[in-house]
Amino acid sequence: MNEPLDLTALAIFRAVAEEGSVTRAAERLQRAQSNVTTRVRQLEADVGAALFLREGKRMALTPEGLVLQGYTDRLLALSDEARQALHPDRPGGRLRLGAMESTAASRLPAPLARLHAQWPGVALELSTGPSQALIDRLRAHALDAVFAAWPPGQPLDAALDARAVFTEELVLALPPGHPAVQGAQDVRPGTLAVFEAGCTYRRIAQDWLAPRSEPLRLLELGSYHAILACVAGGGCVGVAPRSVLALSPGAAALTLHPLAAIDTLLVRRHGYRSAALDALEQVLTPTH
């Protein structure tokens, strides 16, 4: 009979997989490198499969390692959830959040600071990305909850629960001096600066600009700073929430056209509860 998987060994395996290095994983876990190496080898012997390809100092997951990584995220998340469920009045442990870059920059600093002040035992981990990628990571148990925008009228997976926590005014940002626009045909630049595919704001902007007679070119960038800089340079248009523009000193010179009001949702897996996530919901600014 096979022995149950060791959660400590799985946590070490996950750290090596995320860091891609035994050295960095050992530093992160505050363990000796020899201990990390030994525990990984013991886990490989236990499951009867090589989990890593060792390319010099670089550790890359094998196909079997990728399979185990998915189960590891779910097992460790369930372990954390079980610990927190036993102490619902004492938020603590790890809380893995995902958020759109706009939400992380303009909406979360104040509530996360309040959460830390009230419950310093909660270890927050925040990662950013486009909404679709965040939802996919939530489904895979790699995140506990995410702040995402979802296309209006498109239902979420029934396995997920969501509630609106913020409302954003989404605007089209045009170069300085661009005449006011009434519709897509009035937009002069033919390039839209956006985040990668899976960004809900990108999809809304593309749908709004679809009636243009000329094909729309896309310029994929990794930050609002880069997007707004390109717009300010005159070569393209961009899309952003007005709350993000308020953080950019140069945004006052841009021409803005409102596109839509869209909710930011706090999404969790159906049935998932933790004291840490409940505490976060308590400090969030109400929808406005």
Side-chain angles (χ1 to χ4, degrees):
M1 179 177 177
N2 292 330
E3 293 293 323
L5 290 172
D6 184 337
L7 291 181
T8 300
L10 290 177
I12 293 172
F13 161 73
R14 180 173 65 183
V16 176
E18 291 175 348
E19 298 292 343
S21 162
V22 168
T23 301
R24 290 196 295 271
E27 292 173 351
R28 170 173 151 184
L29 298 171
Q30 298 184 333
R31 287 175 173 263
Q33 291 184 39
S34 58
N35 177 264
V36 171
T37 299
T38 298
R39 296 303 294 268
V40 169
R41 287 175 176 167
Q42 289 174 342
L43 181 61
E44 289 179 319
D46 187 20
V47 300
L51 302 175
F52 291 98
L53 296 172
R54 293 162 175 83
E55 304 169 347
K57 295 183 178 180
R58 175 73 183 172
M59 305 282 282
L61 287 171
T62 63
E64 294 80 7
L66 286 168
V67 172
L68 183 60
Q69 185 181 40
Y71 284 102
T72 295
D73 286 338
R74 290 154 63 184
L75 287 168
L76 293 178
L78 189 60
S79 175
D80 286 342
E81 183 179 348
R83 289 179 182 276
Q84 293 192 47
L86 296 175
H87 304 284
D89 57 335
R90 296 205 310 270
R94 189 171 61 150
L95 180 59
R96 302 169 302 166
L97 296 176
M100 297 176 292
E101 182 174 317
S102 57
T103 306
S106 66
R107 300 294 189 181
L108 293 184
L112 293 187
R114 291 196 295 271
L115 178 67
H116 179 69
Q118 294 178 24
W119 303 106
V122 175
L124 279 169
E125 296 180 8
L126 178 64
S127 56
T128 60
S131 292
Q132 184 62 63
L134 295 173
I135 294 293
D136 290 344
R137 293 185 65 198
L138 178 67
R139 289 194 186 103
H141 293 252
L143 294 170
D144 299 319
V146 301
F147 294 90
W150 206 242
Q154 179 176 325
L156 266 174
D157 191 321
L160 303 176
D161 292 333
R163 75 175 183 91
V165 289
F166 308 114
T167 299
E168 299 290 359
E169 182 187 355
L170 198 62
V171 300
L172 192 70
L174 302 109
H178 192 291
V181 301
Q182 299 298 320
Q185 298 290 6
D186 300 325
V187 176
R188 293 176 179 175
T191 300
L192 175 65
V194 287
F195 284 99
E196 63 188 277
C199 172
T200 298
Y201 297 162
R202 162 179 167 160
R203 176 172 171 177
I204 290 173
Q206 285 182 272
D207 288 347
W208 191 86
L209 290 166
R212 284 171 49 90
S213 57
E214 297 179 6
L216 185 69
R217 297 182 298 274
L218 296 176
L219 175 61
E220 292 188 355
L221 299 171
S223 71
Y224 280 108
H225 177 79
I227 289 173
L228 296 178
C230 286
V231 174
C236 60
V237 298
V239 59
R242 196 177 289 273
S243 61
V244 168
L245 296 175
L247 302 176
S248 175
L254 304 179
T255 299
L256 304 179
H257 179 78
L259 292 181
I262 183 167
D263 288 334
T264 298
L265 308 174
L266 177 61
V267 189
R268 68 170 89 195
R269 292 181 298 279
H270 182 69
Y272 175 83
R273 295 297 302 272
S274 78
L277 185 53
D278 288 345
L280 172 66
E281 292 205 65
Q282 291 175 8
V283 300
L284 284 174
T285 305
T287 303
H288 62 276

